[in-house]
Amino acid sequence: MELLRKWLGHPEDIYNLLRFKMGGYRAVMPRMDTDSLGCGLRTCYRYLNQTSRSFAAVIQALDGELRHAVCIFYLVLRALDTVEDDMSIPLDVKVPMLHEFHSHLYQPDWKYTESKEKDRQVLEDFPTISMEFRNLSKVYQDVISDICHKMGVGMAEFLEKKVDSQHEWDKYCHYVAGLVGIGLSRLFSASELEDSIVGQDTDLANSMGLFLQKTNIIRDYLEDQMEGREFWPREVWSRYAKKLSDLAKPENIDVAVQCLNELITNALHHVPDVLTYLSRLKNQSVFNFCAIPQVMAIATLAACYNNQQVFRGVVKIRKGQAVTLMMDATNIKAVKAIMYQYVEEIYQKIPSTDPSSNKTQQVIASIRAASLPGSPMASRHHYSPIYLSCAMLLAALSWQYLSTLSQATEEFVQAEKN
């Protein structure tokens, strides 16, 4: 019945879940023909689907040869990330591996068979991935190799040190996500589907990655604490607690939420850059690929802002909400409207006593100026009384069926770190 109550409160979720499942998602993520691919590429796309529920579909919806380049880029970085995550690899072995990993792209027989991580198949069958890497045009190879090298060096740097200052937070997020944004942007331009400025403006591309990574780090506080990881910057949390883990204690919930709000305010500073970046994109498949994660991120931050649940469990946006965002975020006007909507939601929740309230209001004012919502806001939120009545009746009659249906969309809307 809880699921029914949620849908009655958001009847548009019902409509969009049905529309999504009954073929609407193909407008955003058209099906890829794998029958025409060689054996190696088919294997790579199988690994892509096995290792990424959130990126696999949008990668396969990219146009032309860019699709293969981004698929291989993802798998190479997934292999690198698997090395970094594997705690069974001693540091004296792991650090050189991270530094030298990019060189293995040109070694046909290199593989690593001792990993204990769940995605170890990308290391065990790295020869297939590296072969398809070498089959790419040199312009794509150069980008992937360069980003892999820089990311490996950055990962090694942070293996033995924690994130202390906000500057180091930005630096860490640059290594693990900003470089991904920069690499993808260079691939977009190399494909000639986008103008050269997209790949050249590394500051905007970096902001795209930082906004996503900071959102993941903020949302995943409790999960990271349970697994012994700390990514919140000491410079911020030390003003609220003696240890980062203290924020999860019930007696500290008020200061914990204040710390949370300060970090969300920090992340929001990237939104104007995100909007500028997206406004430059011309190709529809590239726009969808870039815009969908960004609108998911702003919705996630709105759900997390001033929310004690971040320190008690998992904060997620509704599946129907995620599907609606995926289907709406197909042009810059709609994305600006979505951003405007969610920063307004945050604005309405700013506590007057919050230490970061003035800074939060200031960054929201800058996002408002960049968004200029106009007419798209009305089109996204207008539902006639007849539609609402029918939707609520459908919810009452079909909620159990839709519960099963929403599970089927999980692979398309589940967010994942990195």
Side-chain angles (χ1 to χ4, degrees):
M1 293 304 293
E2 178 62 26
L3 183 61
L4 174 60
R5 283 193 293 271
K6 287 182 180 179
W7 272 327
L8 287 173
H10 302 277
E12 69 276 13
D13 286 0
I14 306 167
Y15 172 71
N16 285 314
L17 275 169
L18 283 171
R19 186 160 64 104
F20 185 81
K21 186 59 181 174
M22 295 174 68
Y25 63 92
R26 289 302 173 200
V28 180
M29 293 173 287
R31 187 183 301 277
M32 185 184 75
D33 177 21
T34 58
D35 294 339
S36 60
L37 301 179
C39 180
L41 266 180
R42 283 202 303 272
T43 299
C44 287
Y45 280 104
R46 186 173 78 250
Y47 291 154
L48 174 67
N49 284 287
Q50 289 171 351
T51 58
S52 173
R53 288 178 296 180
S54 58
F55 291 120
V58 286
I59 288 174
Q60 291 172 92
L62 287 168
D63 289 341
E65 63 183 16
L66 177 63
R67 177 190 307 144
H68 301 329
V70 174
C71 173
I72 300 305
F73 185 43
Y74 176 88
L75 291 176
V76 168
L77 297 188
R78 173 57 66 190
L80 180 68
D81 191 56
T82 302
V83 171
E84 183 204 22
D85 286 344
D86 195 333
M87 302 304 291
S88 70
I89 304 176
L91 282 180
D92 61 344
V93 175
K94 183 182 292 189
V95 170
M97 281 185 70
L98 292 173
H99 278 277
E100 298 166 8
F101 197 86
H102 68 289
S103 66
H104 301 319
L105 292 167
Y106 299 97
Q107 298 168 3
D109 298 326
W110 186 88
K111 58 184 175 181
Y112 185 74
T113 59
E114 299 176 29
S115 177
K116 309 299 185 212
E117 290 293 298
K118 60 181 178 64
D119 293 332
R120 59 186 176 273
Q121 70 265 35
V122 294
L123 290 171
E124 294 172 346
D125 192 19
F126 198 75
T128 296
I129 297 170
S130 68
M131 177 184 68
E132 292 304 328
F133 163 83
R134 294 188 299 276
N135 286 338
L136 295 172
S137 299
K138 186 177 184 301
V139 66
Y140 297 132
Q141 291 184 36
D142 290 346
V143 172
I144 295 171
S145 176
D146 180 52
I147 296 299
C148 181
H149 185 201
K150 291 174 178 175
M151 186 176 291
V153 171
M155 287 177 168
E157 178 182 336
F158 278 89
L159 278 178
E160 296 185 279
K161 73 175 185 179
K162 294 183 178 180
V163 178
D164 286 327
S165 67
Q166 293 185 67
H167 172 74
E168 285 184 335
W169 198 36
D170 281 357
K171 190 176 182 181
Y172 171 77
C173 291
H174 164 73
Y175 282 140
V176 300
L179 282 172
V180 178
I182 291 170
L184 286 169
S185 300
R186 289 169 60 187
L187 293 177
F188 299 156
S189 294
S191 72
E192 299 185 353
L193 293 176
E194 298 296 344
D195 291 337
S196 59
I197 186 62
V198 173
Q200 292 168 356
D201 196 334
T202 56
D203 288 341
L204 291 188
N206 188 58
S207 278
M208 292 283 285
L210 263 61
F211 185 58
L212 298 182
Q213 186 66 18
K214 288 182 178 181
T215 298
N216 287 337
I217 288 172
I218 291 167
R219 178 200 61 200
D220 292 342
Y221 164 84
L222 195 61
E223 177 186 330
D224 287 337
Q225 281 293 299
M226 293 174 65
E227 298 187 12
R229 300 189 297 257
E230 293 190 355
F231 298 114
W232 284 25
R234 178 186 293 272
E235 179 184 344
V236 175
W237 64 255
S238 62
R239 293 198 293 268
Y240 300 93
K242 291 183 178 179
K243 295 186 297 183
L244 182 56
S245 58
D246 288 344
L247 295 178
K249 296 178 179 179
E251 63 268 25
N252 295 329
I253 193 61
D254 290 339
V255 293
V257 169
Q258 290 174 357
C259 181
L260 168 70
N261 291 347
E262 182 173 345
L263 291 181
I264 290 177
T265 300
N266 177 295
L268 289 173
H269 280 89
H270 298 292
V271 172
D273 278 356
V274 168
L275 293 175
T276 301
Y277 181 97
L278 293 175
S279 69
R280 291 176 172 173
L281 301 179
K282 302 183 302 181
N283 179 270
Q284 187 65 58
S285 72
V286 172
F287 186 91
N288 294 347
F289 176 89
C290 295
I292 289 171
Q294 302 294 332
V295 296
M296 297 288 189
I298 192 67
T300 299
L301 289 183
C304 289
Y305 185 82
N306 210 48
N307 188 348
Q308 298 179 1
Q309 186 61 24
V310 172
F311 304 95
R312 296 170 178 165
V314 180
V315 175
K316 290 183 178 181
I317 59 177
R318 303 182 311 276
K319 293 183 180 69
Q321 180 184 7
V323 165
T324 297
L325 290 171
M326 292 174 68
M327 298 184 73
D328 282 357
T330 57
N331 62 80
I332 189 60
K333 288 184 178 179
V335 169
K336 287 182 175 181
I338 292 167
M339 292 289 189
Y340 188 96
Q341 170 194 341
Y342 284 109
V343 296
E344 286 301 304
E345 185 177 312
I346 292 172
Y347 183 83
Q348 295 302 321
K349 295 193 290 187
I350 300 175
S352 60
T353 57
D354 190 274
S356 303
S357 60
N358 288 338
K359 290 183 179 179
T360 310
Q361 290 168 357
Q362 289 170 8
V363 70
I364 286 177
S366 69
I367 296 172
R368 284 171 173 161
S371 298
L372 298 174
S375 59
M377 286 296 294
S379 66
R380 291 193 72 252
H381 294 283
H382 176 70
Y383 297 95
S384 70
I386 294 176
Y387 163 71
L388 291 173
S389 299
C390 291
M392 287 188 287
L393 177 61
L394 179 61
L397 295 175
S398 309
W399 71 275
Q400 188 167 9
Y401 165 72
L402 287 171
S403 176
T404 303
L405 176 61
S406 68
Q407 287 294 107
T409 67
E410 184 76 26
E411 63 184 277
F412 296 100
V413 301
Q414 180 71 26
E416 66 179 355
K417 187 172 290 186
N418 295 336

